[in-house]
Amino acid sequence: QVNLEDYGSIPYVQEKKRKRKNYRFHVNLLDERFPQIYLEEVRKLRIKVMKEMERHNYKTLMVTSSVPGEGKTTLATNLAIAIAKQGKRVILVDADPRNPSVAEQLNIMTQKEQGLGAILRNEISVEDAMKEVNVSAGELFVLYGTEPEAEDAKLLGTAAMKNLINV
């Protein structure tokens, strides 16, 4: 579609400087210390997106942009958390084969997980790859991206990916 409606603007949250060199700051709704305006704007976006999805009976939402660094992962992760906190069941899929970063965004991946690429290569089942993230009220499951392999980008256009999205 062309001329899509603007559903809102999410404010930029400045990274705080820390003394520890290995500290990574991520804008994440699981951390309640964020400015109220940021939380409120994500909630507003959630309401508008959910209203449109229900109106059209959509079950899948894709967050994308044309250039790196625009906040796709941050927005997708926080929108998934916000929707799950409303008592919904959400599956967040890290479908960026070149730079998987949802796990880093959530600050919860401590070991290498098999994720989307492994599912599409038939190395693991969806059930085994999906990991639950603890959110109040709802259910949030994540299919992590994994270390990129040469053919992973091509797997996104396969029938296996289409079947996975339609589950």
Side-chain angles (χ1 to χ4, degrees):
Q1 281 184 323
V2 181
N3 298 324
L4 296 175
E5 184 178 339
D6 179 6
Y7 285 143
S9 297
I10 305 297
Y12 177 77
V13 177
Q14 181 128 11
E15 183 174 336
K16 293 181 180 179
K17 296 188 185 231
R18 302 285 186 202
K19 292 182 180 182
R20 291 183 293 167
K21 291 182 181 179
N22 61 349
Y23 178 79
R24 285 289 297 151
F25 173 82
H26 297 287
V27 178
N28 182 322
L29 289 185
L30 295 175
D31 182 350
E32 296 293 334
R33 296 175 294 166
F34 279 95
Q36 195 61 36
I37 190 158
Y38 180 85
L39 300 172
E40 187 58 33
E41 290 303 319
V42 172
R43 285 185 197 114
K44 282 185 200 175
L45 180 62
R46 181 206 72 223
I47 291 167
K48 290 177 182 178
V49 167
M50 292 304 297
K51 184 177 179 181
E52 282 299 302
M53 289 183 73
E54 288 172 7
R55 186 168 75 105
H56 295 288
N57 200 28
Y58 292 151
K59 302 291 181 196
T60 305
L61 173 68
M62 183 168 118
V63 177
T64 188
S65 76
S66 58
V67 295
E70 287 189 322
K72 297 175 289 291
T73 302
T74 301
L75 179 61
T77 302
N78 286 319
L79 196 52
I81 292 167
I83 293 169
K85 283 185 172 186
Q86 288 304 117
K88 303 284 186 183
R89 185 172 194 242
V90 179
I91 300 173
L92 176 61
V93 179
D94 190 344
D96 186 345
R98 293 186 182 95
N99 184 27
S101 52
V102 168
E104 183 179 345
Q105 179 71 31
L106 289 170
N107 290 321
I108 59 173
M109 192 162 131
T110 57
Q111 61 190 26
K112 300 277 185 201
E113 300 280 358
Q114 287 191 304
L116 181 61
I119 293 168
L120 298 177
R121 288 188 299 274
N122 291 317
E123 297 171 0
I124 190 171
S125 70
V126 174
E127 294 78 16
D128 289 337
M130 232 183 319
K131 304 300 178 197
E132 188 167 6
V133 175
N134 188 20
V135 294
S136 59
E139 297 177 285
L140 175 59
F141 297 92
V142 179
L143 283 178
Y144 294 111
T146 53
E147 288 296 315
E149 292 189 15
E151 300 297 313
D152 281 358
K154 292 179 184 176
L155 292 172
L156 295 178
T158 63
M161 182 66 179
K162 184 176 181 179
N163 292 337
L164 179 65
I165 290 173
N166 291 324
V167 167

